[in-house]
Structure formats: structure tokens, C-alpha cells
Amino acid sequence: MKNIFRKIDMYSKNFRIHWLEYVALFIGIDIFTQMLIIPLFRYVTTGILKASAIPFVSYQNIVTIITTHSGVALLLIFELVILLLVIYGVFALILLGIREISQNRFSLKLLFKELWQTYRSVRVGSILLLGLYFLLIVPFADMVYRTPLLAKVQIPEFILDFMTRNIWLISGLIIFYLLAFIFGIRLILTLPLMIYQEKKTWPAMKKSWELTSHKNWWALLSSLLVAGICVSVILVSCNLIIYFCQLGLDHLPEKLSFSFAIFNLLLVQILSELIAIWISVISILIVVTPLNGFKWEDQKKVKSKKTIKIVDSCLIIIFVLAAGINTALYLKGADMQRPVTISHRGVGDKNGVQNTIPALEKTAKLHPDYVEIDLHETKDNQFVVMHDENLKELAGINKTPKDLTLKQLTRITLHEDGHQAKIASFDQYLKAAKELKQKLLIEVKTTPNDSSKMLQNFNKKYGKLIVKRKYQVQSLDYRVIEGLHQINPKLFVLYIQPYNFTYPQSVADGYSMEYSTLNNDFIWQAQLQNKPVYAWTVNSPQMMMKMMYDNVNGIITDQLAELNETVKNFEDNRSYANKLLNFILILPDDNK
């Protein structure tokens, strides 16, 4: 342990001596990535799809794209290859920059010259291995350096939630993460070996595996963990001090307390950025210093070059201006609104069986703006309110809604969370919603067995009523969005997206997005088109606040009472100290 602290102290001394160069390196890369690289790739992807009249890419249409839009598929694959090379370049810049800074010879000209040399050593056959490598080291890359590009690589929360409900799936998930952990830590030296020793990808992987054999991997991991704990303690301490100072300053006159709040929140962001750069430098030095291609020079104070000072000053000004504008808007709440509250599947905190009338009656007492329900077509082409494509989970019957008539389905009793209730027809549910004066968000579910006239039948029977009552419709199937848009343009139809990697472009009237990959850039782009964005399924108060901070138009949740309380607290707690605390706790991350 003493040896770990000795290394942390030594690397911290290196950071103190060269902090200006490190700030220029990290902030420069972050600004370049966030303001140019990420938007560029999103615009290119969106443009490719739009030019081919493809509104989205998902499991629903991937086979169709490959078979009927082979040119688009090739372009997307080519774009992915370029993205991998950009990710490689970002890490190469960091590793090369830290080496040059530590050797007292940092210059932008030298840095880009060496970056070009590293790119020249990359072979086409290495691209696939690089992609696999980046996927494996994602958890450890976050411990060393959190790049906005790798932050995109994640499993959406709804998939994790689904997998944790089945013992076999959760076992497979645990095994997957365990293997990823083993391979990730054993291969973490691959990229440094490629950069510093100019090894090819596969030899670098084998060398990394060799260098992390026996207990060497634990020495590396334990050092990173200790460094992470140290920086967490420092960051929490700094934030608490600033928060308690603001508590006292809130008793001053409004204008004065507001001025101090801007200063304190700006201080929080600046300190967070500096501490993040500091721990990144320490962590990377922990990883790379033992390698032969990394040499230390005498640690002494050297005068920064004029070019570095100019570049660093410009980058700091950009960062402070952006943070300052963000701070003022946040404290004044200029771009915030109360989100629409939506009960997921018509329940709140397991108060009944999902999508049933007894649950609706209980949930309506919590006054959600909308109750979200799911529709399936029946054997006799009617509509029944239920989510699953099979009755086995809730009724113990291995049948689908399309196997049974509406009359047969409404006789079935469902069981969930200690409650039981009959399946409701859509007509029954609509009648109950009218009596309760409860608005609905209706999700149209589709299967390969649906009738060819399903959407026409749905609109003919319910279209006018839905428009009159100002209900909304949504679907995961884009054919539903296009079909209803053509049949009845008056219907307000949202497109459900489980993953976000493009900008919004479709005929939908709005979007319902899985929250873990939703970012305020997508929200902003959609709202510019006057299209609302709902986040699903948001169940923790912290993430609810995060979504409100990102200015979503609606939040879909299983915890409706929790959402109501969070919204109330967020609106009522107007003190600057509470706003500062909210900002610190939710840590809005614009890079996701």
C-alpha cells in the first residue's frame, strides 16, 4: 500500500509541474471530440439514412438494410471503421502527449507527427481486433480515461433489466461481465504497447497478456482502485465545502446570493474537470510507466512554450464560457420545464397487474398526466390491453393474444406482484379511462401474425375518439408510425427508440427514447422540430432529476409516486444551495 501511495505522490508531482500542458491536452481533445467528432458522426449517419429514406437502424430492419440497401450497409460499416480509427487516435494522442509532457518535450507539431507514425503502423487486418479490444477495455478505460466516444458503448438499461429477471439470462450476463473483466484487465496494455513499442495489434495483445500474468494484474488493478478512491474522497470533500458555503450565502440578498451561486457552480465544474484530468494522468502513468518504451526525465519545472500557453488559454476560455452559460441557465431555470408524468403499463409502485383496469383505478389517484398502455390484436381482429406477446408469464398459459378471441382473452385472470385481475379489452379500458378522466399513451404492439388491415381497423374504430380525448399513440414498429401518419395525420404518434446514435429524422410527431442512451443533444434537435421527447423507463430519483435537467418533455416510470415527489421537490427547492446540490448529485453528462 505504501508503494501505491508513493507512486500516486510521484505522479501527482509530475502533474503539478506540467499541469498547463496536461490541461491543454485533455481539454483540447474533449472539446474537439464533443464539438466536432461526435456531431460529425451523428450528422453523417443521419444523412446516410435520410438519403436512402431509412428512418432508423434496429433489429427490426437490419436484415432489410443489408439485403435491399447494400450500399447503405457498406457505408455504415465504413463509418464504423473510421470511428474505430478515431477512437484509436484519441487514445494515441493521450498516450503520446503524456509521454512527451513527462519527457519535457511537449509540442503540438511533435505530437501530431508521432500520431501520424502510429497510424501508419495500423493494418487493415487490425481493425477487427481493435474493435474487440475497445469493447473489452470499456470498463477499465473509464477507470483510466473517460472518453465521450467510448461512453457511447453500453448496453441499454431495459435490456439489462430484462436479463436480470431470468436466472439463466442473469447467469449468462454475470459470466459475460466476468470474462470481460478478465480479458479487459489482461489486455489493458495492448494500446500502450502499440503506441510506445510500435507493436502490431495481435503481438501487443499477447505481450499484454504476458505482462499481466500471475499477480501483476492485481498490482495494476489495486493501484487504480486506490487512486480512484483517493480522488473520489477529494472530489466529494471539495463539493461538500462549496455546498455548505452556498447554504450560508443563500441568506444574503437575492442578487448577491445569485452571483455567489454562479461562482460556486462554476468552481464545481472547474474543479471537477481539473481533478478528472489529474486522476486520468495518474491512472495512465500507473499503467504505462513500467513499459520499456516509456522513460522518465528529471522532474523539474520548465517554462511552457508560448504556443502551448496561447492554445491553453483559448481552450480554458472556451471551457469557462461554456460552463458559465450553462451555470447561469441552470440556476435561473431558463430552459427547464415540468415534464409530463407517465405511468408505465398503467401501474405505480406495483399497485396492481399491469395494463388492467383495477391498476388503472389506483394509478389514476396519483394523477399522472398520461397512463401508458399496450395493445395487441386478437384472433378476431379486436384489440386487447396487454404487453407481453405470450400469456405464459402472467397467466400461465402458453398462448399469444393472436391465438385467442377477445371473448376468450377477457375471461383470463392475470397474476402479478400479489395482485390479480382480468384481461381488459381496449373498449373496456377506454370506458374506465373516460370515467376517471385519465389521458392515455397507447402503444401499438405488432407481431408477424397481425392482420394486414390492423392499422386501418384500429383507426376506423378508435381514431376519432383518440384525437377527441387528446390521447397519444406510440410504437416500436416504424411501420405503425408511417401507416398511422398516412391514414390519420391528426393522430399524435411517437416513435419508440431503444437506442440513440443518430439525430431525430422521421415522420413521427415525437420520440419515446430509452433513457440510458438519451442525451440533451437529441432532445434539443427534436425540440427544434417541435417534437417532444419522452424518456423511458426512469425509476430512480437521481435519473429523474437528470432527465429534467436535460429538459425532456415527459418521463415514463414504474414509480409514479416517486416521480411526483421528485418533480415537486425539484420545483419547490428553489434555493441556490439545493440547485447546486442537485447539479453535483446528478452530474449532468452531455457526452452520453
Side-chain angles (χ1 to χ4, degrees), residues 297-335:
E297 296 290 335
D298 292 335
Q299 296 303 292
K300 58 184 179 180
K301 183 67 177 178
V302 293
K303 189 176 181 179
S304 298
K305 295 181 179 179
K306 185 177 180 180
T307 305
I308 297 300
K309 287 184 176 180
I310 294 172
V311 171
D312 203 45
S313 298
C314 292
L315 293 173
I316 291 174
I317 289 171
I318 293 172
F319 175 81
V320 172
L321 282 175
I325 293 170
N326 185 49
T327 295
L329 289 174
Y330 172 73
L331 291 174
K332 280 298 184 184
D335 61 346

Side-chain angles (χ1 to χ4, degrees), residues 538-548 555 557 559 561-563 565-567 569-570 582 585-586:
V538 188
N539 291 328
S540 73
Q542 181 176 343
M543 193 51 61
M544 291 170 185
M545 287 193 292
K546 172 68 169 64
M547 291 296 102
M548 283 187 279
I555 295 177
T557 183
Q559 308 295 331
E562 187 77 69
L563 176 59
E565 185 66 21
T566 302
V567 172
N569 289 338
F570 200 76
N582 281 340
L585 290 176
I586 65 178

Side-chain angles (χ1 to χ4, degrees), residues 290-534:
L291 300 179
N292 292 332
F294 192 95
K295 298 179 181 179
W296 281 84
E297 296 290 335
D298 292 335
Q299 296 303 292
K300 58 184 179 180
K301 183 67 177 178
V302 293
K303 189 176 181 179
S304 298
K305 295 181 179 179
K306 185 177 180 180
T307 305
I308 297 300
K309 287 184 176 180
I310 294 172
V311 171
D312 203 45
S313 298
C314 292
L315 293 173
I316 291 174
I317 289 171
I318 293 172
F319 175 81
V320 172
L321 282 175
I325 293 170
N326 185 49
T327 295
L329 289 174
Y330 172 73
L331 291 174
K332 280 298 184 184
D335 61 346
M336 290 190 185
Q337 61 178 343
R338 180 190 181 278
V340 171
T341 57
I342 306 168
S343 167
H344 186 226
R345 301 187 190 178
V347 296
D349 196 21
K350 300 181 179 180
N351 61 358
V353 181
Q354 58 178 276
N355 285 306
T356 62
I357 292 174
L360 169 67
E361 292 170 344
K362 294 177 183 177
T363 301
K365 295 177 182 178
L366 297 173
H367 307 293
D369 293 304
Y370 288 91
V371 161
E372 186 262 351
I373 62 171
D374 307 278
L375 292 189
H376 273 285
E377 189 182 41
T378 65
K379 184 177 181 179
D380 50 348
N381 298 335
Q382 301 299 311
F383 292 92
V384 67
V385 184
M386 64 180 299
H387 176 274
D388 295 351
E389 292 185 15
N390 194 293
L391 294 161
K392 190 172 184 180
E393 182 71 23
L394 297 180
I397 302 171
N398 190 21
K399 295 283 185 180
T400 69
K402 198 62 181 173
D403 293 329
L404 304 171
T405 65
L406 183 65
K407 188 174 182 179
Q408 291 172 320
L409 284 162
T410 52
R411 291 174 178 172
I412 296 173
T413 300
L414 304 177
H415 298 82
E416 186 179 35
D417 297 321
H419 303 280
Q420 64 179 39
K422 295 287 186 181
I423 294 176
S425 70
F426 189 33
D427 291 286
Q428 291 171 333
Y429 206 96
L430 285 171
K431 181 181 178 182
K434 181 182 179 181
E435 293 173 354
L436 295 166
K437 297 180 179 179
Q438 176 62 63
K439 288 184 178 181
L440 301 178
L441 173 59
I442 304 154
E443 179 177 345
V444 178
K445 295 283 188 180
T446 60
T447 71
N449 299 318
D450 292 329
S451 65
S452 59
K453 298 290 185 180
M454 183 189 77
L455 292 183
Q456 287 85 345
N457 294 337
F458 172 80
N459 178 67
K460 183 178 180 180
K461 192 169 184 180
Y462 304 111
K464 289 183 179 179
L465 183 146
I466 290 172
V467 172
K468 181 181 178 180
R469 296 187 187 177
K470 297 182 179 179
Y471 294 172
Q472 297 180 355
V473 180
Q474 63 176 1
S475 182
L476 186 66
D477 190 337
Y478 193 72
R479 293 170 299 178
V480 173
I481 311 301
E482 286 185 315
L484 291 179
H485 179 74
Q486 294 174 354
I487 296 169
N488 188 352
K490 292 182 180 180
L491 286 172
F492 191 91
V493 185
L494 299 102
Y495 173 45
I496 302 173
Q497 290 186 248
Y499 203 87
N500 166 38
F501 60 92
T502 63
Y503 287 124
Q505 52 106 21
S506 73
V507 299
D509 298 299
Y511 298 90
S512 185
M513 181 78 70
E514 202 278 332
Y515 79 88
S516 63
T517 62
L518 179 61
N519 59 34
N520 55 16
D521 198 14
F522 181 94
I523 296 167
W524 175 69
Q525 291 274 354
Q527 290 173 350
L528 282 179
Q529 304 172 27
N530 294 316
K531 296 183 178 183
V533 178
Y534 298 163

Side-chain angles (χ1 to χ4, degrees), residues 24-34 89-90 93-94 145 315:
L25 178 67
F26 280 86
I27 291 185
I29 289 175
D30 276 353
I31 290 176
F32 181 74
T33 301
Q34 295 176 42
V90 168
L93 276 174
I94 291 291
Y145 167 60
L315 293 173

